[in-house]
Amino acid sequence: MDLQYAQSWLDDILNEVSLQFQKVPGSAIFLRYVKSSYQNDPVRSAVEFFLVVFAIFYLLSPKYSTQKKSYVTLSDEEIDELVEDWTPEPLVAPQTPFEETENEKRPVIVGPTGPKSRLSNGRTVTNLASYNFYNLVTNETLKEKAIQVLRNYGVGPCSPPGFYGTQDVHIKTEGDIAAHLGASACIMYAQAFSTISSVIPAFSKRGDIIVADRAVNYAIRKGIQISRSTVRWYDHNDVEDMERVLEKVVREQRKKPLTRRFIVTEGLFENVGDMVDLPKIIELKLKYKFRLILDETWSYGVLGRTGRGITEHQNVDVAEVDMIIGSLAGPLCGGGGFCAGSDEIVEHQRISAAAYTFSAALPAMLATTASEVISMLQTNPEMLTPLRDNIKAMWTQLDPRSDWVYCTSSPDNPIMLLALKPELILSRKLSIADQEQLLQDVVDECLTNGVLITRVKSMPRPVNATTKDIGWELQPALKVCVTCGLTRKEIEKAGITIRHAVTKVVTKRRS
Amino acid sequence: MNDGKKSSRRRRSSSLLYQEPPESMEHMSDQSALPNLNANWVNAKGAWAIHVVCIIGLKILFDIIPGVSQETSWTLVNITYMFASYLMFHWVRGVPFEFNAGAYDNLNMWEQIDNGDQYTPAKKFLLSVPIVLFLLSTHYTHYDLTYFTINFLAVLAVVIPKLPFSHRMRVGLFSGDPEDR
């Protein structure tokens, strides 16, 4: 019978298989394991069996990538072809005609700078284009001391502060700044520009929130960009808009994990020159629980009775501001920048602020000069008075008297930014480029009459960014830096020269 | 500077299941800027042996506690290992160190391993360890149904998140709050 035949054939095969199976080493253990694990419970055994099968399936599956390919695979010929076709773009865009003429006419100072500078064409001009507010450039005692320090310490420490770059003078200067400001600690950076762009990313990370003024300077913008934080802008110096933004952030973040939140603004704005309303900002920051990063690059050493900056000027407790960033270059005649705050804030930066950890420390002579100037400011606050008188003198010559320009700066700011009046811009339909050309003509006209001033030059925009992306457009303006190295008469004369130059250029352009 | 890209990363608040969206260009460049030291160690020498060592260590630890039977001891070893590996590979997100500017904040460690590739040797090993441990512990608990159920649920909890289909998948109940970052 066929069926019987098939059955005996099957038995034979089964016998053969079990015989072969028993020959495999370890098969007895496996059998015993299966027998003991079965235990009259088929469901459980099935579960275990399924798990084992799954594991084997997983182990045998081939590897694959879950990331989407964002590139095309090319053959060697295609690559060669593309390489041949490629013509490199110039690293730097060619100069525009405006830049070319500007570079041609650029005045070159020969010898030391000062209130009266000699140019390479032999003329001596009144210098209102450098941040030499207290005329410390010509101070002989400071020069002597700097030379002495140079002989003792050499030029640069040649090492980051965390390695062996910290010298006793750095510690002393840090202490001096902290004592001057009334903050509990201070950390010194080697470059003023990179201070704020390093402080922001040291504290604010991806997912954290920064609320910033639209008109903040380029260094702050870079810092925000590096930090990868989420940034919300508010209209320039508009406290109401700021409150709206803060409230929105708080509302949006209510049910989410807590993040760090910062307000970033400037004391005296680099691009506009006006002053921030600090008491109001402190009130809002406490109300909405934000931290405040205040860039005092242009106000430290300038505002306040003893040059302590905007906190002294507006009677705000320094401890209310979480981080105060300032510059030791410019008016203080030294170099580098600093960040003052609580002990924790300062100690955190010593290991996590990029510019502090990776950049060589400040040359000793710059640190001692800065510290010297700070003690001068403290012991002799009268040295600030002539500067303020000169600012007033210059202000009266320009702002109400000129029909064409007005000053956007605060009356306490020695850097006076003179922008064209909106009526003028509107009636003549001046574009940004037109305004810049016009102001450059004013600068040239002033120089022929022996007064050296400059224009506001903001740093370039990020690549491909439009005004809409930034949400703010730099207002072209003249930059006049008042100094106390000139007498009141000289300042008034320079003011008249600038005013007449503006009138001449504007009226000539009309005809 | 990235407020413009925010809207694309927003999660629908009502859904229980949601998939972590792909990273932006900026994210990816930050991820590749430095090696991910948080996840790369699983491919290092000795990283596989340490699992065996830990399991043996746990077994010894639970054995020397007086009054613990063999069954309980094995079950404890099993659920301790499963709990610890779930915590480490699937619960905690991001990198505990200051690397990559927080570019991995949305991914747990399993998703960071081998850059999210599936069926890599390390992942195969890490999946087989809990399965083998489960088979061992069911064997030594003499197939008692209660122990079996506990051990089986524990092994499911670590095996399911390891499957390719749960890559970047977030379940409202088990993955913690989806951080809208």
Side-chain angles (χ1 to χ4, degrees), chain A residues 60 74 214 306:
Chain A
L60 294 180
L74 296 171
R214 279 190 207 279
T306 57

Side-chain angles (χ1 to χ4, degrees), chain A residues 46-61, chain B residues 110 118-119 123-124 126-132 134-135 152 155-156 158-166:
Chain A
V47 167
E48 279 183 33
F49 177 72
F50 170 75
L51 206 59
V52 170
V53 168
F54 163 74
I56 291 166
F57 163 79
Y58 192 93
L59 290 177
L60 294 180
S61 300
Chain B
W110 185 260
Q118 298 294 347
Y119 300 122
K123 287 195 171 178
K124 285 177 177 173
L126 290 172
L127 184 101
S128 1
V129 171
I131 291 181
V132 170
F134 163 74
L135 292 177
F152 185 65
V155 79
L156 274 191
V158 294
V159 165
I160 291 173
K162 287 186 169 64
L163 301 181
F165 96 90
S166 40

Side-chain angles (χ1 to χ4, degrees), chain A residues 32-33 36-39 41 44 47-48 51-52 54-55 57-68 70 205-208 221-222 224-233 252-253 255-259 462, chain B residues 1-3 6 10 22 26-27 29-31 98 100-103 105 110 115-121 123-125 127-128 131 134-136 138-139 142-143 145 148 152 155 159 162-164 167 177 179-181:
Chain A
R32 203 176 65 223
Y33 174 80
S36 72
S37 70
Y38 179 62
Q39 306 236 337
D41 192 348
R44 209 203 54 236
V47 167
E48 279 183 33
L51 206 59
V52 170
F54 163 74
F57 163 79
Y58 192 93
L59 290 177
L60 294 180
S61 300
K63 174 185 164 176
Y64 73 88
S65 170
T66 52
Q67 294 197 323
K68 268 190 203 134
S70 56
K205 310 281 175 186
R206 196 186 294 277
D208 297 337
R221 280 183 184 273
K222 280 289 129 188
I224 293 173
Q225 192 189 359
I226 298 166
S227 77
R228 307 285 194 250
S229 314
T230 309
V231 59
R232 299 288 157 87
W233 301 101
E252 281 173 3
Q253 299 288 318
K255 283 187 178 168
K256 293 184 189 156
L258 198 61
T259 59
Chain B
M1 297 267 158
N2 51 5
D3 50 352
K6 199 74 178 136
R10 195 143 295 167
E26 198 185 42
H27 252 87
S29 70
D30 278 352
Q31 286 182 349
E98 180 49 48
N100 314 83
D105 278 359
W110 185 260
N115 257 331
D117 293 358
Q118 298 294 347
Y119 300 122
T120 58
K123 287 195 171 178
K124 285 177 177 173
F125 172 77
L127 184 101
S128 1
I131 291 181
F134 163 74
L135 292 177
L136 271 177
T138 45
H139 184 78
H142 306 294
Y143 309 100
L145 190 65
F148 176 84
F152 185 65
V155 79
V159 165
K162 287 186 169 64
L163 301 181
H167 186 69
D177 256 358
E179 281 150 56
D180 203 359
R181 289 182 171 181

Side-chain angles (χ1 to χ4, degrees), chain A residues 181-183 278 282 311-312 314-322 324:
Chain A
L181 274 169
L278 198 56
I282 299 278
T311 46
E312 191 182 29
Q314 298 188 341
N315 291 319
V316 174
D317 184 6
V318 173
E320 302 270 28
V321 185
D322 299 273
I324 292 182

Side-chain angles (χ1 to χ4, degrees), chain A residues 357-479:
Chain A
T357 24
F358 298 118
S359 177
L362 189 66
M365 54 182 170
L366 296 179
T368 48
T369 307
S371 140
E372 203 65 41
V373 173
I374 289 167
S375 71
M376 279 164 73
L377 286 170
Q378 271 174 304
T379 52
N380 182 22
E382 294 86 54
M383 68 183 273
L384 284 85
T385 334
L387 175 68
R388 284 175 192 158
D389 291 343
N390 277 356
I391 297 173
K392 261 184 216 132
M394 182 61 95
W395 191 274
T396 47
Q397 287 304 320
L398 292 174
D399 192 57
R401 286 208 189 171
S402 176
D403 295 332
W404 314 109
V405 290
Y406 72 105
C407 186
T408 57
S409 296
S410 142
D412 297 295
N413 192 350
I415 304 171
M416 294 176 63
L417 301 187
L418 303 165
L420 295 171
K421 286 196 174 170
E423 305 93 84
L424 177 70
I425 296 171
L426 215 65
S427 66
R428 301 236 192 133
K429 297 192 182 62
L430 294 172
S431 70
I432 296 288
D434 289 342
Q435 294 177 45
E436 276 180 354
Q437 181 62 57
L438 201 149
L439 293 173
Q440 183 59 43
D441 291 347
V442 173
V443 170
D444 295 341
E445 178 65 28
C446 285
L447 189 64
T448 27
N449 292 324
V451 177
L452 179 62
I453 57 170
T454 184
R455 290 181 300 120
V456 175
K457 287 165 190 168
S458 173
M459 283 292 192
R461 287 176 183 175
V463 182
N464 298 332
T466 59
T467 309
K468 210 179 160 194
D469 293 336
I470 304 173
W472 181 76
E473 179 75 73
L474 177 78
Q475 172 71 42
L478 291 173
K479 197 175 201 174

Side-chain angles (χ1 to χ4, degrees), chain A residues 294-306:
Chain A
L294 184 65
D295 186 0
E296 286 222 59
T297 301
W298 302 105
S299 53
Y300 180 70
V302 170
L303 295 180
R305 196 183 66 84
T306 57

